[in-house]
Amino acid sequence: MKLVILDRNGSINLHRDDFVKSETEWTPLPRALEAIARLNHAGWHVVIASNQSGLGRGLFDVASLNAMHAKMHKMLAAVGGRVDAIFYCPHSPDEDCGCRKPKPGLFLQIGERYGVDLANVPTAGDSLRDLQAGAAAGCEPHLLLTGMGAACRNVDPLPPDYPANTQVHDDLSAFVDFLLAREAQKAALQVAV
C-alpha cells in the first residue's frame, strides 16, 4: 500500500496564527488540492495527521471542524482528489496527551488503522513538530516551506532539531513532484533489471 501522511494547516491550507476556526477561514494553498489529486491518481492513499488544539482551547467545536473538512473534501473532489482519513488531536498543549505532535500518537494510530509499518512512509508538514512526530514513528520526513516552514527558506543546513534525513520542498506540489519522480525512477530501474 502506498501511503503518505500530510499535515493540514500550513501544508494544505493557509496557516493562521489565530487558528483556522471556521469553514470560511479554511483556504487551500495554491496547487495543494491538485497535488493531492495527483497523488491519488498515482495510486497513493493520503491521510492527514493534524493538531487541532483550537478544540481543546474552546476556539471552535467539532461541528465547525467537520464543516472545514467537508469544505476540503468537496474542493478536493472538484479537482479529482480525496483524503482517505483525517486523524486529529483535539487536546490543548497543557493536557500532555500522547497524540499531540511532536509526539507520534497520531502516526501510530494511522499505522494501526491501515495495518502498515510506517518505516519509510513519507510525511510532509510545515513545522518541526510535524516532522519530529513522523520521524518518531519511523516515517520519512519532508519539510514544506509554506506556513511556519517559510521561516526555513534559505536555511541550509536545517537547525539540528530537525530529523537528520529531512528533505525540503517549496510546497506540497513540489513534494508530490519529488515523490512521483522518485517512483518513476524506481519503476524504470526495475524494468531495466
Side-chain angles (χ1 to χ4, degrees):
M1 173 183 189
K2 297 192 299 186
L3 176 68
V4 63
I5 302 172
L6 302 178
D7 171 53
R8 198 196 80 181
N9 293 331
S11 300
I12 298 171
N13 60 277
L14 287 171
H15 167 81
R16 291 175 59 117
D17 289 333
D18 65 342
F19 296 87
V20 178
K21 301 175 290 300
S22 68
E23 66 180 296
T24 54
E25 293 179 353
W26 193 93
T27 307
L29 287 166
R31 306 182 310 153
L33 301 181
E34 294 81 1
I36 291 171
R38 288 192 295 129
L39 279 175
N40 297 149
H41 292 286
W44 289 81
H45 294 270
V46 178
V47 176
I48 292 174
S50 180
N51 284 351
Q52 291 296 323
S53 69
L55 286 170
R57 297 170 198 260
L59 299 175
F60 54 85
D61 58 17
V62 173
S64 298
L65 183 64
N66 288 342
M68 292 177 226
H69 291 156
K71 178 180 180 179
M72 179 185 69
H73 287 303
K74 185 175 182 179
M75 292 180 79
L76 270 169
V79 296
R82 74 182 179 286
V83 166
D84 287 15
I86 301 167
F87 288 72
Y88 64 88
C89 168
H91 306 107
S92 63
D94 58 355
E95 291 183 70
D96 196 34
C97 63
C99 55
R100 181 173 166 77
K101 297 182 281 185
K103 293 182 181 172
L106 289 177
F107 289 84
L108 299 176
Q109 289 174 32
I110 292 167
E112 189 174 309
R113 164 88 64 87
Y114 285 88
V116 297
D117 178 359
L118 295 177
N120 303 315
V121 166
T123 187
D126 70 318
S127 76
L128 172 61
R129 67 178 172 228
D130 296 329
L131 306 187
Q132 288 173 325
C139 293
E140 175 189 282
H142 294 264
L143 176 65
L144 306 178
L145 299 177
T146 49
M148 292 185 286
C152 287
R153 197 169 291 281
N154 302 318
V155 174
D156 188 21
L158 288 173
D161 293 349
Y162 282 83
N165 56 340
T166 298
Q167 298 182 61
V168 181
H169 310 277
D170 280 337
D171 59 13
L172 187 56
S173 188
F175 164 68
V176 171
D177 289 343
F178 167 83
L179 278 188
L180 298 182
R182 182 172 70 178
E183 190 176 46
Q185 187 177 30
K186 283 181 182 173
L189 287 173
Q190 287 174 344
V191 169
V193 172

